[in-house]
Amino acid sequence: DIQMTQSPSSLSASVGDRVTITCRASQSIITYLNWYQQKPGKAPNLLMYAASSLQGGVPSRFSGSGSGTDFTLTISSLQPEDFATYYCQECYSGPCSFGQGTKLEIK
Amino acid sequence: QVQLVESGGGVVQPGRSLRLSCAASGFTFNNYGMHWVRQAPGKGLEWVAVISYDGSNKYYADSVKGRFTISRDNSKSTLYLQMNSLRPEDTAVYSCAKDHSSGGARLGLDYWGQGTLVTVSS
Protein backbone atom coordinates (compact mmCIF):
# COMPACT_ATOMS: atom_id res chain seq x y z
CA ASP A 1 0.00 0.00 0.00
CA ILE A 2 0.99 3.62 -0.53
CA GLN A 3 2.32 5.52 2.48
CA MET A 4 1.84 9.26 2.83
CA THR A 5 4.26 11.36 4.89
CA GLN A 6 3.47 14.95 5.81
CA SER A 7 5.87 17.55 7.09
CA PRO A 8 6.05 19.25 9.41
CA SER A 9 3.85 17.48 11.97
CA SER A 10 3.19 20.81 13.63
CA LEU A 11 3.78 24.41 12.72
CA SER A 12 3.48 27.73 14.53
CA ALA A 13 2.72 30.78 12.44
CA SER A 14 1.21 34.24 12.67
CA VAL A 15 -1.76 35.84 10.94
CA GLY A 16 -0.61 37.09 7.56
CA ASP A 17 2.21 34.55 7.20
CA ARG A 18 2.70 32.42 4.12
CA VAL A 19 2.70 28.74 5.07
CA THR A 20 3.62 25.61 3.14
CA ILE A 21 2.85 22.02 4.11
CA THR A 22 4.47 19.12 2.29
CA CYS A 23 3.16 15.65 1.55
CA ARG A 24 5.28 12.85 0.09
CA ALA A 25 3.97 9.58 -1.34
CA SER A 26 5.91 6.31 -1.17
CA GLN A 27 5.35 5.84 -4.92
CA SER A 28 4.02 7.92 -7.77
CA ILE A 29 0.37 8.86 -7.45
CA ILE A 30 0.43 11.17 -10.48
CA THR A 31 -1.91 13.92 -9.21
CA TYR A 32 -4.38 11.82 -7.19
CA LEU A 33 -3.76 13.91 -4.11
CA ASN A 34 -6.34 15.69 -1.97
CA TRP A 35 -6.04 18.11 0.96
CA TYR A 36 -8.40 18.53 3.92
CA GLN A 37 -8.74 20.94 6.82
CA GLN A 38 -10.13 19.71 10.12
CA LYS A 39 -11.08 21.80 13.14
CA PRO A 40 -11.61 20.25 16.58
CA GLY A 41 -14.87 18.36 16.88
CA LYS A 42 -15.72 18.90 13.23
CA ALA A 43 -15.73 16.77 10.10
CA PRO A 44 -12.86 17.30 7.65
CA ASN A 45 -13.40 19.85 4.89
CA LEU A 46 -12.13 19.16 1.37
CA LEU A 47 -9.83 22.02 0.28
CA MET A 48 -8.05 20.78 -2.83
CA TYR A 49 -8.48 17.79 -5.10
CA ALA A 50 -6.35 16.40 -7.92
CA ALA A 51 -3.37 18.17 -6.34
CA SER A 52 -4.16 21.68 -7.57
CA SER A 53 -7.93 22.07 -8.04
CA LEU A 54 -9.61 24.31 -5.50
CA GLN A 55 -12.83 22.92 -4.07
CA GLY A 56 -15.84 25.21 -4.46
CA GLY A 57 -16.25 27.73 -1.65
CA VAL A 58 -12.63 27.46 -0.49
CA PRO A 59 -10.78 30.81 -0.34
CA SER A 60 -8.25 31.48 -3.07
CA ARG A 61 -5.45 31.97 -0.51
CA PHE A 62 -5.25 28.16 -0.53
CA SER A 63 -3.33 26.56 -3.37
CA GLY A 64 -1.86 23.16 -4.13
CA SER A 65 0.86 21.87 -6.38
CA GLY A 66 2.92 18.81 -7.19
CA SER A 67 2.82 15.57 -9.08
CA GLY A 68 4.38 12.14 -8.81
CA THR A 69 5.50 11.79 -5.20
CA ASP A 70 5.88 15.34 -3.87
CA PHE A 71 3.07 17.76 -3.15
CA THR A 72 2.55 21.03 -1.31
CA LEU A 73 -0.35 22.95 0.17
CA THR A 74 0.27 26.68 0.48
CA ILE A 75 -1.73 29.26 2.39
CA SER A 76 -0.69 32.63 1.02
CA SER A 77 -1.75 34.82 3.96
CA LEU A 78 -2.91 33.07 7.11
CA GLN A 79 -6.25 34.10 8.54
CA PRO A 80 -7.44 33.38 12.10
CA GLU A 81 -9.89 30.74 10.83
CA ASP A 82 -7.06 28.79 9.15
CA PHE A 83 -5.60 27.49 12.39
CA ALA A 84 -6.52 23.81 12.21
CA THR A 85 -5.09 20.41 11.30
CA TYR A 86 -4.40 19.64 7.65
CA TYR A 87 -4.32 16.19 6.03
CA CYS A 88 -3.26 14.99 2.62
CA GLN A 89 -4.91 11.92 1.11
CA GLU A 90 -4.15 9.72 -1.86
CA CYS A 91 -6.61 7.59 -3.76
CA TYR A 92 -4.43 6.53 -6.68
CA SER A 93 -5.19 2.82 -6.71
CA GLY A 94 -8.01 0.92 -5.00
CA PRO A 95 -7.33 1.71 -1.34
CA CYS A 96 -6.79 5.25 -0.10
CA SER A 97 -4.57 6.58 2.69
CA PHE A 98 -4.11 9.77 4.69
CA GLY A 99 -1.00 11.52 5.85
CA GLN A 100 -0.51 11.78 9.61
CA GLY A 101 -1.63 15.42 9.69
CA THR A 102 -0.06 18.84 10.22
CA LYS A 103 -1.31 20.89 13.14
CA LEU A 104 -1.13 24.60 12.38
CA GLU A 105 -1.04 26.69 15.55
CA ILE A 106 -0.99 30.36 16.32
CA LYS A 107 2.44 31.76 17.20
CA GLN B 1 -28.74 19.57 0.89
CA VAL B 2 -26.48 16.58 1.25
CA GLN B 3 -26.82 14.74 4.54
CA LEU B 4 -24.96 11.71 5.83
CA VAL B 5 -26.11 10.32 9.16
CA GLU B 6 -24.28 7.43 10.81
CA SER B 7 -25.73 5.10 13.40
CA GLY B 8 -24.95 1.81 15.10
CA GLY B 9 -21.99 2.70 17.26
CA GLY B 10 -21.63 1.73 20.88
CA VAL B 11 -19.57 -0.20 23.38
CA VAL B 12 -18.66 -3.76 22.40
CA GLN B 13 -16.36 -6.40 23.85
CA PRO B 14 -13.23 -7.52 21.98
CA GLY B 15 -13.97 -10.26 19.48
CA ARG B 16 -17.60 -9.24 19.03
CA SER B 17 -19.32 -7.69 16.01
CA LEU B 18 -21.08 -4.45 15.19
CA ARG B 19 -22.80 -3.07 12.09
CA LEU B 20 -22.71 0.61 11.25
CA SER B 21 -25.16 2.33 8.93
CA CYS B 22 -24.96 5.63 7.04
CA ALA B 23 -28.22 7.08 5.75
CA ALA B 24 -27.69 9.39 2.78
CA SER B 25 -29.95 12.07 1.36
CA GLY B 26 -29.80 15.14 -0.83
CA PHE B 27 -27.94 13.56 -3.74
CA THR B 28 -28.24 10.64 -6.18
CA PHE B 29 -26.72 8.00 -3.94
CA ASN B 30 -26.26 5.36 -6.64
CA ASN B 31 -24.00 7.67 -8.66
CA TYR B 32 -21.22 7.99 -6.07
CA GLY B 33 -18.60 5.88 -4.41
CA MET B 34 -18.76 5.94 -0.62
CA HIS B 35 -16.09 5.63 2.06
CA TRP B 36 -15.69 4.88 5.74
CA VAL B 37 -13.02 6.84 7.61
CA ARG B 38 -12.22 6.55 11.30
CA GLN B 39 -10.48 8.71 13.85
CA ALA B 40 -9.30 7.37 17.19
CA PRO B 41 -9.55 9.82 20.11
CA GLY B 42 -6.88 12.48 19.75
CA LYS B 43 -5.43 10.85 16.63
CA GLY B 44 -5.41 11.49 12.90
CA LEU B 45 -7.70 10.34 10.15
CA GLU B 46 -7.49 6.71 9.06
CA TRP B 47 -9.13 5.60 5.85
CA VAL B 48 -11.03 2.32 6.32
CA ALA B 49 -12.87 1.22 3.18
CA VAL B 50 -14.49 2.30 -0.08
CA ILE B 51 -17.26 0.87 -2.23
CA SER B 52 -17.96 1.87 -5.81
CA TYR B 53 -21.23 3.47 -6.85
CA ASP B 54 -22.71 0.14 -7.94
CA GLY B 55 -21.13 -2.01 -5.24
CA SER B 56 -18.97 -3.93 -7.69
CA ASN B 57 -15.63 -2.81 -6.28
CA LYS B 58 -14.56 -2.70 -2.65
CA TYR B 59 -11.21 -1.91 -1.08
CA TYR B 60 -10.00 -2.01 2.51
CA ALA B 61 -7.19 -0.74 4.67
CA ASP B 62 -4.78 -3.51 5.67
CA SER B 63 -5.70 -2.94 9.32
CA VAL B 64 -9.30 -4.10 8.74
CA LYS B 65 -9.00 -6.43 5.76
CA GLY B 66 -10.66 -9.78 6.42
CA ARG B 67 -12.57 -8.43 9.46
CA PHE B 68 -14.67 -5.55 8.07
CA THR B 69 -17.07 -5.61 5.12
CA ILE B 70 -18.43 -2.55 3.36
CA SER B 71 -21.74 -2.77 1.51
CA ARG B 72 -24.53 -0.56 0.23
CA ASP B 73 -28.23 -0.71 -0.53
CA ASN B 74 -28.91 1.78 -3.30
CA SER B 75 -32.66 1.25 -3.00
CA LYS B 76 -32.43 2.59 0.57
CA SER B 77 -29.61 5.12 -0.02
CA THR B 78 -27.75 3.48 2.83
CA LEU B 79 -24.12 2.50 3.35
CA TYR B 80 -23.04 -0.18 5.81
CA LEU B 81 -19.92 -1.34 7.59
CA GLN B 82 -20.00 -4.80 9.13
CA MET B 83 -17.24 -5.04 11.72
CA ASN B 84 -16.26 -8.49 13.02
CA SER B 85 -13.56 -9.66 15.40
CA LEU B 86 -13.30 -6.20 16.89
CA ARG B 87 -10.13 -5.19 18.72
CA PRO B 88 -9.43 -2.42 21.22
CA GLU B 89 -7.42 -0.60 18.53
CA ASP B 90 -10.61 -0.31 16.46
CA THR B 91 -11.95 2.19 19.00
CA ALA B 92 -12.69 5.37 17.06
CA VAL B 93 -15.31 7.67 15.63
CA TYR B 94 -16.42 6.15 12.32
CA SER B 95 -17.61 8.53 9.62
CA CYS B 96 -19.03 7.92 6.19
CA ALA B 97 -18.04 10.21 3.35
CA LYS B 98 -19.08 10.74 -0.25
CA ASP B 99 -16.83 10.79 -3.31
CA HIS B 100 -16.57 14.27 -4.80
CA SER B 101 -16.99 12.99 -8.35
CA SER B 102 -19.49 10.55 -9.76
CA GLY B 103 -18.52 7.42 -11.64
CA GLY B 104 -15.19 6.07 -10.46
CA ALA B 105 -12.73 8.92 -10.26
CA ARG B 106 -11.28 9.49 -6.80
CA LEU B 107 -11.20 13.23 -6.48
CA GLY B 108 -11.63 13.72 -2.78
CA LEU B 109 -14.39 13.29 -0.24
CA ASP B 110 -16.67 16.30 -0.28
CA TYR B 111 -19.34 15.50 2.29
CA TRP B 112 -18.88 13.77 5.62
CA GLY B 113 -21.20 12.63 8.36
CA GLN B 114 -20.58 13.62 11.98
CA GLY B 115 -19.62 10.08 12.89
CA THR B 116 -20.60 7.38 15.36
CA LEU B 117 -18.35 6.30 18.23
CA VAL B 118 -17.29 2.68 18.50
CA THR B 119 -15.61 1.66 21.74
CA VAL B 120 -14.09 -1.80 21.98
CA SER B 121 -13.47 -2.67 25.60
CA SER B 122 -14.01 -5.50 28.04
Side-chain angles (χ1 to χ4, degrees):
Chain A
D1 286 357
I2 299 171
Q3 311 299 320
M4 305 301 292
T5 304
Q6 283 182 239
S7 61
S9 296
S10 62
L11 176 60
S12 294
S14 302
V15 173
D17 283 354
R18 180 183 179 89
V19 166
T20 297
I21 299 169
T22 297
C23 183
R24 175 165 287 176
S26 59
Q27 66 184 72
S28 176
I29 56 171
I30 312 179
T31 57
Y32 285 89
L33 192 283
N34 311 308
W35 289 99
Y36 300 85
Q37 176 194 68
Q38 188 181 32
K39 296 181 179 179
K42 301 292 188 181
N45 181 42
L46 178 64
L47 298 175
M48 312 288 307
Y49 61 93
S52 60
S53 295
L54 191 68
Q55 172 67 346
V58 174
S60 59
R61 62 181 179 273
F62 291 91
S63 64
S65 65
S67 65
T69 60
D70 294 317
F71 302 86
T72 58
L73 174 71
T74 299
I75 310 171
S76 61
S77 178
L78 273 174
Q79 299 301 301
E81 60 268 30
D82 299 337
F83 292 94
T85 301
Y86 293 83
Y87 295 91
C88 62
Q89 180 209 25
E90 67 80 21
C91 283
Y92 172 63
S93 57
C96 301
S97 59
F98 286 97
Q100 81 277 18
T102 295
K103 187 173 183 179
L104 180 53
E105 299 174 305
I106 300 173
K107 183 182 288 184
Chain B
Q1 71 282 20
V2 172
Q3 279 198 305
L4 298 171
V5 180
E6 303 91 342
S7 61
V11 180
V12 61
Q13 293 180 327
R16 305 297 290 264
S17 299
L18 208 58
R19 188 176 87 154
L20 306 182
S21 299
C22 168
S25 61
F27 65 103
T28 305
F29 184 71
N30 58 14
N31 280 357
Y32 292 88
M34 296 292 296
H35 301 245
W36 286 100
V37 176
R38 69 185 182 184
Q39 189 165 31
K43 302 297 184 181
L45 300 172
E46 181 183 12
W47 179 84
V48 173
V50 61
I51 186 168
S52 59
Y53 65 98
D54 60 357
S56 62
N57 292 297
K58 305 173 185 180
Y59 299 96
Y60 300 91
D62 286 345
S63 58
V64 307
K65 201 174 296 181
R67 300 187 299 123
F68 289 13
T69 301
I70 189 171
S71 62
R72 64 190 298 159
D73 185 337
N74 284 346
S75 68
K76 296 182 179 179
S77 295
T78 302
L79 175 73
Y80 302 100
L81 185 67
Q82 177 67 42
M83 304 186 295
N84 298 333
S85 303
L86 282 161
R87 305 167 179 168
E89 55 264 36
D90 295 319
T91 294
V93 173
Y94 286 73
S95 299
C96 60
K98 166 190 167 291
D99 263 339
H100 174 50
S101 61
S102 60
R106 301 286 184 77
L107 298 178
L109 309 180
D110 60 351
Y111 287 92
W112 298 61
Q114 284 304 307
T116 186
L117 176 62
V118 173
T119 302
V120 184
S121 174
S122 53

